[in-house]
Amino acid sequence: MAKVSLQGVKKNYGSIRVIHGVDIEIKDGEFIVIVGPSGCGKSTLLRMIAGLEAITEGSIGIGDRVVNDIEPRDRDIAMVFQNYALYPHMSVFENISYGLRIRGMSKADIQKRVDRAADILQLQPYLQRRPRELSGGQRQRVAMGRAIVREPSVFLFDEPLSNLDAKLRVQMRLEIKRLHQQLGVTSIYVTHDQVEAMTLADRLIVMNQGRAEQIGSPAEVYSNPATTYVGGFIGSPPMNFVPCKVEAGQAVLDDGTSLALPERLRGTPAGAYILGIRPENMHVAQPGQGAQFTLAVDVAEELGADTLLHGKIAGTDVVVRLPSTAGFHDNSRPSLVADMAQVHLYDRESGRNIH
């Protein structure tokens, strides 16, 4: 196991900068998830850690070594890709052990390592099968077994579940979590799926156009998004953003609705802001309850335990999550209140959280 350090890491392709400087210290045994949409630079960052892409500026350390100029095979890492990349003519045992055999390891040591990986990944019944005889989830477990037997200091995962169906993704997510708990190896995982990111990570790196927009635990990133970009990406449905003006400790919406800001925001200078609030932090108003606003519902989505109401508040599109027992439907107009202790204010120009 090893710590991983990124200091001022940048990447250019000619005159185009695609990674704008990432700094993070990853602790020994930590599970880091790099999350963001397609084209944000997350896979490029992972490939630079692996040594598959040269860095333009900065330094990358694995353990006690700066590895900028060290070949991938000498970085003591193992990588699991989106594509399983299994040899179709080899058995599961041969696929898992291939890297050990070309390194000249003894048969006894190879058998011991493969057996251990197969036990961890529940692959013992399949060791003599060919990849074509396996399901997608089993093939991905074989790819992970090939990484495990190397006993690396760092695991790198590049969207390993994106080829699987929804049910298998959930199962494999749990297996990767258990695998990390068992092995305790430093792991860096890339995904565009924010549910994967939230459930797997000790800490997230939320990428936006080659920049680390926010680094923090899933709870920190979800409850206190640093920017409107993070609030709009992390969360399903994402955070709602409603234009407002701050006047004397009140957030005044465009329709004149006035909401009392929580203590931590009452010193905010007067001006135009964006009010950020999660869909689950709006509730049905009780009779006489203050600071009510009306949601003009366009579509109600029944999800079993919950209903998502899509509509408008003060002319702005929002989504509200309510219990299905609330009984609202298309074209209804419920009166709601907001849990103001959970709201955030963002600068309209930069999109940054002001607190």
Side-chain angles (χ1 to χ4, degrees):
M1 296 187 289
K3 64 181 181 180
V4 178
S5 171
L6 278 66
Q7 297 181 353
V9 172
K10 299 178 182 178
K11 175 67 178 178
N12 295 349
Y13 289 114
S15 61
I16 300 172
R17 176 152 287 172
V18 295
I19 301 293
H20 294 266
V22 175
D23 296 272
I24 185 172
E25 296 290 330
I26 300 170
K27 297 177 223 167
D28 187 1
E30 194 171 17
F31 199 119
I32 293 289
V33 176
I34 307 172
V35 63
S38 297
C40 70
K42 57 189 184 295
S43 287
T44 300
L45 190 60
L46 190 78
R47 289 172 64 84
M48 288 194 289
I49 297 169
L52 302 176
E53 294 272 2
I55 69 172
T56 304
E57 293 180 39
S59 70
I60 296 174
I62 298 177
D64 296 324
R65 300 185 300 165
V66 173
V67 298
N68 292 19
D69 301 316
I70 294 177
E71 290 296 316
R73 66 176 179 270
D74 298 322
R75 294 191 180 198
D76 196 17
I77 59 168
M79 196 159 180
V80 180
F81 295 92
Q82 176 180 348
N83 189 321
Y84 319 128
L86 303 179
Y87 295 107
H89 63 287
M90 292 184 184
S91 68
V92 168
F93 182 95
E94 291 167 334
N95 267 284
I96 292 175
S97 63
Y98 180 74
L100 305 181
R101 286 185 281 122
I102 63 174
R103 285 161 58 184
M105 189 172 286
S106 71
K107 287 185 178 180
D109 286 340
I110 290 174
Q111 187 71 52
K112 183 178 177 182
R113 290 198 185 190
V114 173
D115 283 343
R116 178 172 179 256
D119 286 340
I120 291 170
L121 297 169
Q122 301 175 12
L123 287 172
Q124 284 288 3
Y126 312 107
L127 288 178
Q128 300 312 313
R129 293 192 187 182
R130 299 288 189 270
R132 67 177 178 274
E133 301 172 288
L134 304 177
S135 69
Q138 289 165 344
R139 292 178 195 178
Q140 192 56 277
R141 291 210 300 270
V142 174
M144 289 195 293
R146 188 172 50 196
I148 290 170
V149 295
R150 294 189 58 186
E151 298 183 357
S153 295
V154 180
F155 283 128
L156 304 178
F157 297 89
D158 191 5
E159 304 209 44
L161 308 185
S162 56
N163 286 337
L164 304 180
D165 63 40
K167 186 175 180 180
L168 269 178
R169 286 173 77 103
V170 174
Q171 293 174 350
M172 289 300 300
R173 208 166 65 216
L174 293 173
E175 290 192 25
I176 290 172
K177 188 80 169 178
R178 290 192 192 107
L179 177 66
H180 183 254
Q181 290 169 347
Q182 283 182 268
L183 301 179
V185 176
T186 307
S187 299
I188 304 172
Y189 186 106
V190 160
T191 183
H192 64 274
D193 186 326
Q194 53 100 12
V195 175
E196 274 178 35
M198 294 287 287
T199 54
L200 287 172
D202 294 323
R203 279 191 297 161
L204 303 176
I205 304 175
V206 184
M207 295 294 293
N208 178 20
Q209 297 183 345
R211 292 180 171 84
E213 191 88 351
Q214 186 171 0
I215 298 173
S217 71
E220 291 167 348
V221 171
Y222 185 83
S223 63
N224 194 26
T227 63
T228 53
Y229 171 84
V230 175
F233 187 80
I234 298 295
S236 181
M239 180 175 275
N240 296 302
F241 299 106
V242 181
C244 71
K245 292 180 181 177
V246 170
E247 299 173 355
Q250 303 281 318
V252 182
L253 309 187
D254 288 350
D255 65 355
T257 300
S258 185
L259 306 173
L261 292 171
E263 188 65 37
R264 62 187 167 82
L265 295 173
R266 281 192 192 152
T268 303
Y273 295 91
I274 297 171
L275 186 72
I277 184 164
R278 293 282 182 193
E280 63 272 20
N281 291 328
M282 289 180 274
H283 313 288
V284 178
Q286 300 303 313
Q289 198 169 3
Q292 298 183 16
F293 49 86
T294 300
L295 174 68
V297 178
D298 296 322
V299 177
E301 283 188 298
E302 294 287 348
L303 301 178
D306 297 329
T307 298
L308 296 183
L309 301 180
H310 300 261
K312 287 183 169 58
I313 291 173
T316 300
D317 290 330
V318 299
V319 181
V320 178
R321 185 191 295 274
L322 295 175
S324 289
T325 52
F328 296 111
H329 49 77
D330 297 358
N331 302 316
S332 57
R333 295 179 66 83
S335 292
L336 304 178
V337 292
D339 181 355
M340 295 303 290
Q342 304 299 324
V343 303
H344 298 275
L345 284 176
Y346 294 90
D347 182 86
R348 283 205 193 185
E349 301 249 342
S350 67
R352 298 208 69 81
N353 195 326
I354 67 167
H355 283 274

Short mmCIF file of all heavy atoms in Angstrom, two decimals, residues 112-145:
data_model
loop_
_atom_site.label_atom_id
_atom_site.label_comp_id
_atom_site.label_asym_id
_atom_site.label_seq_id
_atom_site.Cartn_x
_atom_site.Cartn_y
_atom_site.Cartn_z
N LYS A 112 -1.05 -19.97 -5.47
CA LYS A 112 -1.46 -19.37 -4.19
C LYS A 112 -2.15 -18.03 -4.40
O LYS A 112 -3.21 -17.76 -3.82
CB LYS A 112 -0.23 -19.21 -3.30
CG LYS A 112 -0.52 -18.66 -1.92
CD LYS A 112 0.77 -18.58 -1.10
CE LYS A 112 0.52 -17.95 0.27
NZ LYS A 112 1.76 -17.82 1.06
N ARG A 113 -1.57 -17.20 -5.27
CA ARG A 113 -2.14 -15.87 -5.50
C ARG A 113 -3.47 -15.96 -6.24
O ARG A 113 -4.43 -15.24 -5.91
CB ARG A 113 -1.17 -15.00 -6.28
CG ARG A 113 0.06 -14.57 -5.48
CD ARG A 113 0.72 -13.38 -6.14
NE ARG A 113 1.96 -13.00 -5.49
CZ ARG A 113 2.63 -11.89 -5.76
NH1 ARG A 113 2.19 -11.05 -6.69
NH2 ARG A 113 3.76 -11.61 -5.13
N VAL A 114 -3.55 -16.83 -7.24
CA VAL A 114 -4.80 -16.97 -8.00
C VAL A 114 -5.90 -17.52 -7.10
O VAL A 114 -7.05 -17.05 -7.14
CB VAL A 114 -4.60 -17.85 -9.24
CG1 VAL A 114 -5.95 -18.13 -9.92
CG2 VAL A 114 -3.65 -17.19 -10.23
N ASP A 115 -5.58 -18.50 -6.27
CA ASP A 115 -6.58 -19.07 -5.37
C ASP A 115 -7.12 -18.01 -4.41
O ASP A 115 -8.32 -17.95 -4.15
CB ASP A 115 -5.99 -20.24 -4.57
CG ASP A 115 -5.88 -21.52 -5.40
OD1 ASP A 115 -6.53 -21.59 -6.45
OD2 ASP A 115 -5.14 -22.43 -4.99
N ARG A 116 -6.22 -17.17 -3.90
CA ARG A 116 -6.65 -16.12 -2.97
C ARG A 116 -7.59 -15.14 -3.67
O ARG A 116 -8.65 -14.78 -3.15
CB ARG A 116 -5.44 -15.38 -2.41
CG ARG A 116 -5.81 -14.22 -1.48
CD ARG A 116 -4.57 -13.65 -0.80
NE ARG A 116 -4.93 -12.55 0.08
CZ ARG A 116 -4.74 -11.26 -0.20
NH1 ARG A 116 -4.19 -10.91 -1.35
NH2 ARG A 116 -5.08 -10.32 0.66
N ALA A 117 -7.21 -14.70 -4.88
CA ALA A 117 -8.05 -13.76 -5.63
C ALA A 117 -9.39 -14.40 -5.99
O ALA A 117 -10.44 -13.75 -5.90
CB ALA A 117 -7.33 -13.29 -6.89
N ALA A 118 -9.36 -15.67 -6.39
CA ALA A 118 -10.59 -16.37 -6.76
C ALA A 118 -11.52 -16.53 -5.57
O ALA A 118 -12.75 -16.43 -5.70
CB ALA A 118 -10.26 -17.73 -7.37
N ASP A 119 -10.95 -16.76 -4.39
CA ASP A 119 -11.77 -16.84 -3.17
C ASP A 119 -12.43 -15.51 -2.86
O ASP A 119 -13.62 -15.43 -2.54
CB ASP A 119 -10.91 -17.29 -1.98
CG ASP A 119 -10.55 -18.77 -2.04
OD1 ASP A 119 -11.25 -19.52 -2.76
OD2 ASP A 119 -9.57 -19.16 -1.38
N ILE A 120 -11.65 -14.44 -2.96
CA ILE A 120 -12.17 -13.10 -2.66
C ILE A 120 -13.30 -12.74 -3.62
O ILE A 120 -14.32 -12.18 -3.21
CB ILE A 120 -11.04 -12.05 -2.73
CG1 ILE A 120 -10.05 -12.24 -1.57
CG2 ILE A 120 -11.61 -10.63 -2.72
CD1 ILE A 120 -8.79 -11.39 -1.71
N LEU A 121 -13.13 -13.07 -4.90
CA LEU A 121 -14.07 -12.66 -5.94
C LEU A 121 -15.09 -13.73 -6.30
O LEU A 121 -15.85 -13.58 -7.25
CB LEU A 121 -13.30 -12.25 -7.20
CG LEU A 121 -12.39 -11.04 -7.03
CD1 LEU A 121 -11.47 -10.88 -8.23
CD2 LEU A 121 -13.21 -9.77 -6.83
N GLN A 122 -15.09 -14.85 -5.56
CA GLN A 122 -16.02 -15.95 -5.79
C GLN A 122 -15.93 -16.48 -7.23
O GLN A 122 -16.94 -16.68 -7.91
CB GLN A 122 -17.45 -15.49 -5.47
CG GLN A 122 -17.63 -15.03 -4.03
CD GLN A 122 -19.01 -14.47 -3.75
OE1 GLN A 122 -19.93 -14.60 -4.54
NE2 GLN A 122 -19.16 -13.83 -2.60
N LEU A 123 -14.70 -16.71 -7.65
CA LEU A 123 -14.46 -17.19 -9.02
C LEU A 123 -13.98 -18.65 -9.07
O LEU A 123 -13.71 -19.16 -10.16
CB LEU A 123 -13.41 -16.30 -9.71
CG LEU A 123 -13.87 -14.91 -10.13
CD1 LEU A 123 -12.68 -14.08 -10.62
CD2 LEU A 123 -14.93 -14.98 -11.22
N GLN A 124 -13.88 -19.31 -7.92
CA GLN A 124 -13.34 -20.68 -7.91
C GLN A 124 -14.08 -21.61 -8.86
O GLN A 124 -13.44 -22.39 -9.58
CB GLN A 124 -13.36 -21.24 -6.49
CG GLN A 124 -12.28 -20.71 -5.57
CD GLN A 124 -10.89 -21.23 -5.91
OE1 GLN A 124 -10.70 -21.97 -6.88
NE2 GLN A 124 -9.89 -20.84 -5.13
N PRO A 125 -15.42 -21.56 -8.95
CA PRO A 125 -16.11 -22.50 -9.86
C PRO A 125 -15.85 -22.23 -11.35
O PRO A 125 -16.22 -23.06 -12.19
CB PRO A 125 -17.60 -22.29 -9.53
CG PRO A 125 -17.62 -21.59 -8.22
CD PRO A 125 -16.38 -20.77 -8.17
N TYR A 126 -15.25 -21.07 -11.67
CA TYR A 126 -15.14 -20.67 -13.07
C TYR A 126 -13.70 -20.66 -13.59
O TYR A 126 -13.46 -20.24 -14.72
CB TYR A 126 -15.74 -19.27 -13.26
CG TYR A 126 -17.10 -19.11 -12.63
CD1 TYR A 126 -17.26 -18.36 -11.47
CD2 TYR A 126 -18.21 -19.73 -13.18
CE1 TYR A 126 -18.50 -18.22 -10.87
CE2 TYR A 126 -19.46 -19.59 -12.60
CZ TYR A 126 -19.60 -18.85 -11.44
OH TYR A 126 -20.84 -18.73 -10.85
N LEU A 127 -12.76 -21.14 -12.81
CA LEU A 127 -11.35 -20.98 -13.17
C LEU A 127 -10.98 -21.68 -14.48
O LEU A 127 -10.03 -21.26 -15.15
CB LEU A 127 -10.46 -21.48 -12.03
CG LEU A 127 -10.41 -20.59 -10.79
CD1 LEU A 127 -9.53 -21.22 -9.70
CD2 LEU A 127 -9.88 -19.19 -11.14
N GLN A 128 -11.69 -22.73 -14.86
CA GLN A 128 -11.35 -23.44 -16.09
C GLN A 128 -12.23 -23.03 -17.28
O GLN A 128 -12.08 -23.58 -18.37
CB GLN A 128 -11.45 -24.96 -15.86
CG GLN A 128 -10.52 -25.48 -14.77
CD GLN A 128 -9.09 -24.98 -14.93
OE1 GLN A 128 -8.51 -25.01 -16.03
NE2 GLN A 128 -8.49 -24.50 -13.84
N ARG A 129 -13.10 -22.08 -17.07
CA ARG A 129 -13.95 -21.62 -18.17
C ARG A 129 -13.23 -20.59 -19.03
O ARG A 129 -12.27 -19.95 -18.59
CB ARG A 129 -15.24 -21.00 -17.63
CG ARG A 129 -16.16 -21.99 -16.95
CD ARG A 129 -17.51 -21.36 -16.70
NE ARG A 129 -18.38 -22.22 -15.91
CZ ARG A 129 -19.63 -21.92 -15.58
NH1 ARG A 129 -20.14 -20.76 -15.98
NH2 ARG A 129 -20.35 -22.74 -14.86
N ARG A 130 -13.73 -20.41 -20.25
CA ARG A 130 -13.25 -19.35 -21.13
C ARG A 130 -14.13 -18.11 -20.92
O ARG A 130 -15.28 -18.22 -20.49
CB ARG A 130 -13.33 -19.78 -22.60
CG ARG A 130 -12.48 -20.99 -22.95
CD ARG A 130 -11.02 -20.64 -22.96
NE ARG A 130 -10.20 -21.72 -23.50
CZ ARG A 130 -9.68 -22.71 -22.79
NH1 ARG A 130 -9.90 -22.76 -21.48
NH2 ARG A 130 -8.92 -23.63 -23.35
N PRO A 131 -13.63 -16.91 -21.26
CA PRO A 131 -14.42 -15.68 -21.07
C PRO A 131 -15.79 -15.72 -21.72
O PRO A 131 -16.75 -15.16 -21.18
CB PRO A 131 -13.52 -14.60 -21.68
CG PRO A 131 -12.13 -15.12 -21.46
CD PRO A 131 -12.24 -16.61 -21.65
N ARG A 132 -15.92 -16.37 -22.89
CA ARG A 132 -17.22 -16.39 -23.57
C ARG A 132 -18.29 -17.14 -22.77
O ARG A 132 -19.49 -17.02 -23.05
CB ARG A 132 -17.08 -17.00 -24.97
CG ARG A 132 -16.73 -18.48 -24.98
CD ARG A 132 -16.68 -19.04 -26.40
NE ARG A 132 -16.28 -20.45 -26.41
CZ ARG A 132 -15.04 -20.88 -26.42
NH1 ARG A 132 -14.03 -20.00 -26.44
NH2 ARG A 132 -14.78 -22.18 -26.45
N GLU A 133 -17.85 -17.95 -21.81
CA GLU A 133 -18.78 -18.73 -20.99
C GLU A 133 -19.18 -17.99 -19.71
O GLU A 133 -19.87 -18.56 -18.85
CB GLU A 133 -18.15 -20.07 -20.62
CG GLU A 133 -17.77 -20.92 -21.82
CD GLU A 133 -16.97 -22.15 -21.43
OE1 GLU A 133 -15.79 -22.00 -21.05
OE2 GLU A 133 -17.55 -23.25 -21.48
N LEU A 134 -18.78 -16.73 -19.59
CA LEU A 134 -19.04 -15.95 -18.38
C LEU A 134 -20.01 -14.81 -18.65
O LEU A 134 -20.09 -14.32 -19.79
CB LEU A 134 -17.73 -15.37 -17.83
CG LEU A 134 -16.59 -16.34 -17.52
CD1 LEU A 134 -15.36 -15.56 -17.07
CD2 LEU A 134 -17.01 -17.35 -16.46
N SER A 135 -20.70 -14.37 -17.62
CA SER A 135 -21.54 -13.17 -17.72
C SER A 135 -20.65 -11.93 -17.67
O SER A 135 -19.45 -12.01 -17.36
CB SER A 135 -22.53 -13.13 -16.56
OG SER A 135 -21.84 -12.89 -15.33
N GLY A 136 -21.25 -10.77 -17.96
CA GLY A 136 -20.48 -9.52 -17.91
C GLY A 136 -19.89 -9.25 -16.54
O GLY A 136 -18.73 -8.84 -16.41
N GLY A 137 -20.68 -9.51 -15.49
CA GLY A 137 -20.18 -9.29 -14.14
C GLY A 137 -19.04 -10.22 -13.79
O GLY A 137 -18.07 -9.82 -13.13
N GLN A 138 -19.14 -11.47 -14.23
CA GLN A 138 -18.06 -12.43 -13.97
C GLN A 138 -16.79 -12.04 -14.72
O GLN A 138 -15.68 -12.15 -14.19
CB GLN A 138 -18.51 -13.83 -14.37
CG GLN A 138 -19.57 -14.41 -13.44
CD GLN A 138 -20.28 -15.61 -14.02
OE1 GLN A 138 -20.22 -15.88 -15.23
NE2 GLN A 138 -21.00 -16.35 -13.18
N ARG A 139 -16.93 -11.56 -15.94
CA ARG A 139 -15.75 -11.11 -16.69
C ARG A 139 -15.06 -9.94 -16.00
O ARG A 139 -13.83 -9.88 -15.94
CB ARG A 139 -16.15 -10.71 -18.12
CG ARG A 139 -16.59 -11.86 -18.99
CD ARG A 139 -17.01 -11.37 -20.36
NE ARG A 139 -17.75 -12.39 -21.07
CZ ARG A 139 -18.28 -12.24 -22.27
NH1 ARG A 139 -18.14 -11.09 -22.91
NH2 ARG A 139 -18.95 -13.22 -22.84
N GLN A 140 -15.88 -9.02 -15.45
CA GLN A 140 -15.27 -7.89 -14.76
C GLN A 140 -14.57 -8.36 -13.49
O GLN A 140 -13.52 -7.83 -13.11
CB GLN A 140 -16.33 -6.84 -14.43
CG GLN A 140 -15.76 -5.51 -13.96
CD GLN A 140 -14.77 -4.89 -14.93
OE1 GLN A 140 -13.59 -5.24 -14.95
NE2 GLN A 140 -15.25 -3.98 -15.77
N ARG A 141 -15.10 -9.38 -12.83
CA ARG A 141 -14.43 -9.93 -11.65
C ARG A 141 -13.10 -10.58 -12.04
O ARG A 141 -12.13 -10.51 -11.29
CB ARG A 141 -15.32 -10.94 -10.93
CG ARG A 141 -16.52 -10.31 -10.27
CD ARG A 141 -16.98 -11.06 -9.04
NE ARG A 141 -17.37 -12.43 -9.30
CZ ARG A 141 -18.60 -12.82 -9.62
NH1 ARG A 141 -19.56 -11.92 -9.73
NH2 ARG A 141 -18.87 -14.08 -9.81
N VAL A 142 -13.05 -11.20 -13.21
CA VAL A 142 -11.78 -11.77 -13.69
C VAL A 142 -10.76 -10.66 -13.91
O VAL A 142 -9.59 -10.78 -13.54
CB VAL A 142 -11.99 -12.59 -14.99
CG1 VAL A 142 -10.64 -13.05 -15.55
CG2 VAL A 142 -12.89 -13.79 -14.73
N ALA A 143 -11.22 -9.55 -14.51
CA ALA A 143 -10.30 -8.42 -14.73
C ALA A 143 -9.79 -7.88 -13.39
O ALA A 143 -8.61 -7.53 -13.27
CB ALA A 143 -11.03 -7.31 -15.50
N MET A 144 -10.66 -7.84 -12.38
CA MET A 144 -10.21 -7.40 -11.06
C MET A 144 -9.27 -8.42 -10.43
O MET A 144 -8.30 -8.05 -9.76
CB MET A 144 -11.41 -7.13 -10.16
CG MET A 144 -12.18 -5.88 -10.56
SD MET A 144 -13.33 -5.28 -9.30
CE MET A 144 -14.52 -6.60 -9.30
N GLY A 145 -9.54 -9.71 -10.66
CA GLY A 145 -8.64 -10.74 -10.15
C GLY A 145 -7.24 -10.62 -10.72
O GLY A 145 -6.24 -10.80 -10.01
#
